[in-house]
Amino acid sequence: MENGLDRESGSMMFSEEELREVTGLKKGGDFIEVTCGCTSHRYGDAVGKLRVFSNGDLEITCECTPGCNEDKLTPSAFEKHSGRETARKWKNNVWVIVNGEKVSLSKTALLKYYNQASKNANGTHRSHNGRVCHRDEFVRCSMCNKERRFRLRTKDECRIHHDALADVNWKCCDLPYDRITCDDDEERASRRVYRGCTRSPTCKGCTSCVCFGCEICRFTDCSCQTCIDFTRNAKA
């Protein structure tokens, strides 16, 4: 159980009825992917691929132009990138295509995991909009010396990163949720700057995305100094 949500496979996240006639549907390990977009009256449609994760995360890879390298965008950042004039209403402005028609995310079932994650975020480190927020972090492989991305949205994901960081012999093949080997390319520097901050897509670290200890990212069964300090403070 992760923040009240079970990790589900992409094939089990939504019913057939909920995804009927949705364009670009693909199912992954713990996410589904669909075609999405946002319309600017000045620039027209910006199209992308929306990934909906079972832990409530939403990530968009922009395909507005063939040379666009914007990926792992939050819907809010995608809305802004598209040039939408009335930004900050991404639930209404970002759309998917259902039966050939543009339908706002707010009118689909695609936000049910996002909404439940927001509801269950009480008592955890939260961003300005109330959602749990720990930015992505990187750990360097002891064999190939390449940095690999760790998503820290759930307690399980934080534990995976915590243990990898403590292991001086950590290797690419130890990453449990992505099938990565030392032969795979390291992320481009232009992509690594996007670390999941809800305030700013290219944030280098702020109070919205950097946590110094909460019940999601600290563990009472660990003897590292950071976890010990957090446990003491929690009991004080």
Side-chain angles (χ1 to χ4, degrees):
M1 187 73 70
E2 302 173 351
N3 296 344
L5 294 175
D6 289 318
R7 179 175 288 278
E8 299 183 50
S9 68
S11 60
M12 300 295 291
M13 288 172 59
F14 296 92
S15 68
E16 182 178 344
E17 182 63 30
E18 288 173 324
L19 298 177
R20 190 181 302 278
E21 303 297 334
V22 177
T23 298
L25 176 63
K26 295 180 181 178
K27 298 178 181 180
D30 64 339
F31 68 88
I32 66 160
E33 181 180 280
V34 298
T35 299
C36 71
C38 189
T39 302
S40 163
H41 296 300
R42 181 176 181 180
Y43 301 109
D45 292 347
V47 180
K49 298 291 185 183
L50 166 67
R51 285 192 174 186
V52 180
F53 291 87
S54 61
N55 63 7
D57 281 350
L58 304 171
E59 291 182 356
I60 296 177
T61 298
C62 184
E63 299 178 345
C64 60
T65 62
C68 182
N69 293 319
E70 303 285 355
D71 61 1
K72 291 188 178 295
L73 296 176
T74 63
S76 178
F78 175 68
E79 176 192 48
K80 184 176 180 180
H81 174 69
S82 73
R84 174 76 188 193
E85 291 79 5
T86 56
R88 297 197 172 188
K89 295 183 179 180
W90 63 263
K91 291 183 181 181
N92 294 324
N93 291 335
V94 176
W95 43 260
V96 295
I97 300 175
V98 182
N99 198 23
E101 301 289 334
K102 297 175 184 175
V103 179
S104 297
L105 283 178
S106 61
K107 296 181 180 180
T108 72
L110 296 174
L111 294 183
K112 69 178 183 180
Y113 290 94
Y114 172 89
N115 292 334
Q116 188 171 347
S118 298
K119 181 179 178 181
N120 292 335
N122 293 331
T124 63
H125 176 62
R126 295 185 289 178
S127 65
H128 66 279
N129 64 359
R131 292 202 64 207
V132 178
C133 185
H134 293 80
R135 67 176 184 171
D136 296 349
E137 299 290 352
F138 292 85
V139 175
R140 191 175 296 277
C141 174
S142 62
M143 294 186 65
C144 68
N145 205 38
K146 296 173 183 175
E147 286 190 320
R148 300 306 187 188
R149 181 184 295 268
F150 284 72
R151 296 170 62 248
L152 309 180
R153 306 302 189 271
T154 69
K155 194 170 185 68
D156 281 354
E157 289 175 343
C158 286
R159 186 59 192 249
I160 291 168
H161 171 257
H162 172 277
D163 292 348
L165 199 62
D167 183 1
V168 296
N169 296 314
W170 184 85
K171 304 178 294 296
C172 294
C173 61
D174 295 331
L175 197 61
Y177 48 79
D178 284 329
R179 295 180 179 178
I180 291 179
T181 70
C182 290
D183 293 330
D184 291 315
D185 291 336
E186 189 177 42
E187 281 192 25
R188 301 185 307 271
S190 60
R191 180 181 178 183
R192 288 202 300 271
V193 298
Y194 295 98
R195 299 176 65 172
C197 178
T198 56
R199 185 186 63 84
S200 172
T202 57
C203 175
K204 295 181 179 180
C206 69
T207 55
S208 292
C209 65
V210 177
C211 178
F212 295 98
C214 73
E215 61 187 30
I216 287 182
C217 64
R218 297 293 179 260
F219 308 95
T220 56
D221 64 336
C222 177
S223 60
C224 77
Q225 191 60 47
T226 303
C227 289
I228 290 175
D229 289 343
F230 172 71
T231 301
R232 287 173 178 169
N233 292 333
K235 291 179 179 178

